[in-house]
Amino acid sequence: AELPYLTMAQSRVCVIGSGPSGLATLLSFQKLKAAGQAIPEIVCYEKQNDWGGLWNYTWRTGLDEYGEAVHNSMYRYLWSNGPKECLEMANYSFEEHFGQQIPSFPPRAVLADYILGRAKKAGLREMITFATAVRHVTYDDASGKFSVTVEDLATHTTSTSTFDYVVCAGGHFSTPHVPSFPGLDKFPGRVLHAHDFRDAEEFRNKNVLIVGASYSAEDIGLQVYKYGAKSVTMTYRTAYMGFDWPESMEERPLLQKIDGKVAHFKDGSTLEVDAVLLCTGYQHHFPYMADNLRLRTLNRLCSDNLYKGVCWMDNPKLMYIGMQDQWYTFTMFDAQAWFARDVIMGIRKLPDAAAQQADFAAWRAKDEAAATATLQIEFQTEYVRDLLKDSDYPKFDIDACDKMFKEWKKDKKASITGYRDRAFPSPVTGTMAPVHHTPWLKAMDDSLECFMASK
C-alpha cells in the first residue's frame, strides 16, 4: 500500500509509551536528525511520571497516585534470566555505558541504568510528555489522519491532536491474566498475581504455591526459595518445566481447588500452603485503541495481523513495537523501531495488501511449526535478521546470539540455580564477560553499587 507522501516537516508521529520499545523508536528518528536529515514531528506520551516502562520500578501495586493501573510488573531482587549479551544494543554496548565489560546476568537496577543511559546520551527525554495517558485513538479515512485523545493526569484535562502515524509501544506485560480456582475466595492466606509481587522476603518460612509453568513461575519460585521460603510448589496446566529443582522445590499437576489451606491437585495429591502466587501470564490490552485498530493476539512469536510483526495490516500507518513473545528483547525492539521509522520516512516501501498477507501467512506457518525451544530461538533469530537486512542499524553477531540462547537453555537444564554464574562474549565487541564476584544463589544485594564493586 502506498502511504501518502508528506514532507517530513509536515508529518506528525505519535509514539505511545517510553519503555525500551518506545525509546528505541524515538532513538531511530533522533539518529537521522543528528545526521542532518529532516524528520517528522515526534510526540511521545507516557502515562508514568518517568521513563523506562516496566524498568521504572515502583513499590506500588494496584493503582498509582493518579488512580491509573500500575504498569510495573518488576520486583526487588530481579536478576536477568537470560544472558545480557543477547539483549545488548548494537549502537550502545555495555562497555560503552559502564566503561568496562560486566558479568552476563545483571540485576534489574544495572539493566535499567544501561537502557536509560542510551536514552540520556541521545537526549530523548525532551521528546516525551510524562503523566499523560492516551485515552482514545481513532482513524479518519477522509483526512487520512489519526485522532489521539490524551489526559494530563495531574490536571485531569483532556486534549485531542491529529497525527499521520501512530506507533504503539505500550507493552504487553502489565495487564494480568488472572484465573480462578474453587476455594480461593475462602483461602486464609495471601493470594496475588506475579504483577503485584514485589519482595520475596514476604514469603520467608512459608509454604508457597505457584500456579504457572513459564518464566515468571520459574523465576519467582527461585526468588522465594532463595530468600527463605519453607517450600515452593509449582503447579502446571499442560507441561512441567522439568528442571533439577532444589530439595524444597517441586512441580505438581494443575491445582483443582483449595479447601481451607489445603490445595488439591489433578493427580489426587494434597498439600497445605500459606500463600498462592498466580504466575499465569498477561494480556495484550489496548482499550484506548478503536476497535478497528486494536491488536488482539495471544503471546506468540508471530502476532496477529501485523506485517513483519510491526505494521497493522488493516492500516499500516499504525505500527506496534515489541508485541511478540520474546527470546530477543531490546535487540528485536530496535530492529522493529528502525523498520517502522524507515516505513514512515519512505525509505522502505510496503508491498500491497495481498503480498503483506502472504508474507504474514508464511511467518505464521513457521511460528506454528516451531514446537521446541530450539526452533523458537531460530525463528526469532531469522525474524530479527529479516527486519535488519536492509537497515542502517549497526551490525552485530546475531549468530552468536542464537548460539548463546541455546547454550543458556542447556545451562538451565544442568543447573537451574547456577546458570546465572556463567559468562558469555559480547556479540557487539567480542569481549568476554567476567564471572560475577558472588554466585547468584548467595548474592542477596541486587544494587548496582554491589554488582559493580570488585569483591
Side-chain angles (χ1 to χ4, degrees), residues 122-345:
L124 302 183
R125 197 173 179 92
E126 65 190 32
M127 302 168 79
I128 305 166
T129 306
F130 292 100
T132 302
V134 175
R135 293 296 186 221
H136 203 41
V137 180
T138 59
Y139 183 75
D140 178 57
D141 285 315
S143 66
K145 292 185 184 292
F146 295 92
S147 289
V148 179
T149 300
V150 301
E151 181 179 351
D152 180 324
L153 296 173
T155 63
H156 301 292
T157 54
T158 59
S159 58
T160 301
S161 304
T162 58
F163 294 92
D164 301 289
Y165 300 91
V166 170
V167 179
C168 179
H172 62 99
F173 292 116
S174 285
T175 302
H177 171 68
V178 187
S180 185
F181 295 91
L184 271 186
D185 55 335
K186 296 186 176 71
F187 179 66
R190 180 105 148 89
V191 180
L192 71 160
H193 189 275
H195 177 62
D196 296 323
F197 175 77
R198 292 291 180 270
D199 195 330
E201 288 283 0
E202 178 184 345
F203 301 98
R204 188 177 288 277
N205 298 321
K206 293 188 173 169
N207 295 306
V208 179
L209 175 62
I210 291 180
V211 179
S214 193
Y215 290 111
S216 61
E218 169 200 313
D219 196 59
I220 290 174
L222 288 168
Q223 290 286 351
V224 295
Y225 164 77
K226 179 177 173 178
Y227 286 89
K230 190 185 292 181
S231 73
V232 181
T233 301
M234 294 156 288
T235 172
Y236 59 88
R237 184 180 57 197
T238 45
Y240 69 104
M241 291 178 273
F243 295 113
D244 184 11
W245 300 108
E247 199 172 313
S248 60
M249 294 181 72
E250 63 167 346
E251 292 187 79
R252 296 197 189 194
L254 188 61
L255 174 69
Q256 300 298 293
K257 66 175 183 177
I258 293 191
D259 186 5
K261 292 183 77 173
V262 178
H264 294 252
F265 301 95
K266 197 170 184 179
D267 62 355
S269 66
T270 60
L271 181 72
E272 189 171 298
V273 297
D274 303 308
V276 179
L277 258 162
L278 301 170
C279 295
T280 46
Y282 293 88
Q283 306 174 51
H284 286 68
H285 186 65
F286 308 104
Y288 47 83
M289 303 299 286
D291 277 354
N292 62 346
L293 303 173
R294 188 179 305 167
L295 176 65
R296 296 173 177 88
T297 184
L298 297 174
N299 186 34
R300 59 187 305 160
L301 296 173
C302 179
S303 308
D304 290 351
N305 206 43
L306 296 177
Y307 173 66
K308 299 297 187 190
V310 175
C311 293
W312 183 244
M313 288 197 291
D314 298 341
N315 180 350
K317 292 195 285 182
L318 168 64
M319 297 157 198
Y320 284 89
I321 308 289
M323 295 300 155
Q324 290 72 19
D325 194 6
Q326 293 157 9
W327 294 90
Y328 291 83
T329 50
F330 308 152
T331 310
M332 181 170 73
F333 307 155
D334 275 10
Q336 292 177 331
W338 257 250
F339 178 85
R341 179 205 71 184
D342 287 352
V343 170
I344 291 169
M345 295 292 295

Side-chain angles (χ1 to χ4, degrees), residues 23 27 51 92 114-125:
L23 292 174
L27 182 73
W51 54 5
Y92 193 73
Y114 169 65
I115 297 158
L116 296 179
R118 182 175 78 161
K120 288 172 185 170
K121 182 186 176 192
L124 302 183
R125 197 173 179 92

